[in-house]
Amino acid sequence: MDGDIELRVDGRRRRLRVDTRTTLLDALRDGVGATAPKKGCDHGQCGACTVLLDGRRVITCLALAVAHDGAEVVTAAGLARGDRLHPVQEAFLERDALQCGFCTPGQVCSAVGVLDEVAAGHPSAVTADLTGPVELTDDEIRERMSGNLCRCGAYVTIVDAVRDGAR
Ligand code: FES
Ligand code: FES
């Protein structure tokens, strides 16, 4: 069964018809042509398909497109403001926090989500003090970014980049 949905993707309004079983990832990549989110595992295990959905990071291979009619989607390709990269993107470049780059769009979107979650005071499994503002330690970064795998193993510089992006 098909359904019509409308998404705002990286600032552009897009209407598309999707099968009710279509994932948001397939709707973005095949329906809209937004190829920044990558299909790594298609099983919710790698984080390569992460985008910001209505401001929160979401794994799009586990989301059904029809459930998000009217949503605002920001992919890694939509984070920049014109020629100005998002500070997290700048930090990934400066820290050389990638090798093949396949996981990077998901890493960057996830990192932006992490910084928003920390700023909002959301605790993680490793947050020691639940009474005050969350301190963005390297352990916090590792824990919060643990859903984003990197087959090239660029984890050390990814942590550096997220820390820099927060500044
Ligand atoms: S492709 Fe979605 S988590 Fe791997
Ligand atoms: S840079 Fe290659 S998978 Fe992460």
Side-chain angles (χ1 to χ4, degrees), residues 25 38-49 59-62:
L25 176 60
K38 299 292 183 274
K39 187 180 282 191
C41 65
D42 211 19
H43 284 79
Q45 295 173 346
C46 73
C49 63
I59 287 174
T60 52
C61 69
L62 294 186

Side-chain angles (χ1 to χ4, degrees), residues 7-12 24 28 34 37 51-55 60 68 70-75 78:
L7 299 170
R8 197 168 169 83
V9 181
D10 294 335
R12 289 183 62 193
L24 183 56
L28 289 171
V51 304
L52 298 169
L53 179 65
D54 291 329
T60 52
H68 298 287
E72 168 98 33
V73 175
V74 177
T75 74

Side-chain angles (χ1 to χ4, degrees), residues 97-104 107 149-154 158:
L98 60 142
Q99 289 183 39
C100 76
F102 188 82
C103 71
T104 310
Q107 301 276 4
L149 305 184
C150 174
R151 285 178 297 179
C152 299
I158 288 171

Side-chain angles (χ1 to χ4, degrees), residues 112-123 133-136 140-141 144:
V112 172
V114 164
L115 299 184
D116 287 345
E117 290 158 21
V118 168
H122 297 173
V134 178
E135 187 189 348
L136 191 65
E140 283 282 358
I141 295 172
R144 291 168 189 268

Side-chain angles (χ1 to χ4, degrees), residues 79-85:
L79 285 171
R81 289 283 165 268
D83 289 341
R84 281 192 59 188
L85 291 178

